[in-house]
Amino acid sequence: MASSYLTVGSGDRHVMALHGWFGSARGWGSLPDYLDGSAFTYVFPDLRGYGGRETPVALATAMEEFLGRE
């Protein structure tokens, strides 16, 4: 399954910003422009079924992927 996400920065510490229901990574607007990319790497993923991601086939499949049991 293809991933769709935006990354900003190149810092050693990572921050994940999750969008809301029916949103996408692009929903954060211009916020990434104001983040300090030297200290952190920010990841803005599209959750499954939203933005550029495919819709999941089944919840069990989604949970197995989440738990790293693909």
Side-chain angles (χ1 to χ4, degrees):
M1 179 166 285
S3 296
S4 177
Y5 59 91
L6 167 69
T7 59
V8 175
S10 59
D12 293 332
R13 294 179 284 176
H14 291 77
V15 176
M16 184 176 292
L18 301 177
H19 61 77
W21 197 261
F22 296 112
S24 73
R26 308 310 174 257
W28 290 98
S30 62
L31 176 67
D33 297 336
Y34 298 100
L35 299 175
D36 178 9
S38 64
F40 297 95
T41 297
Y42 299 90
V43 181
F44 299 87
D46 283 333
L47 300 179
R48 290 185 78 163
Y50 299 98
R53 295 288 309 264
E54 297 175 18
T55 302
V57 174
L59 180 58
T61 303
M63 289 306 294
E64 288 180 5
E65 180 180 331
F66 177 76
L67 295 172
R69 299 179 187 162
E70 284 191 41

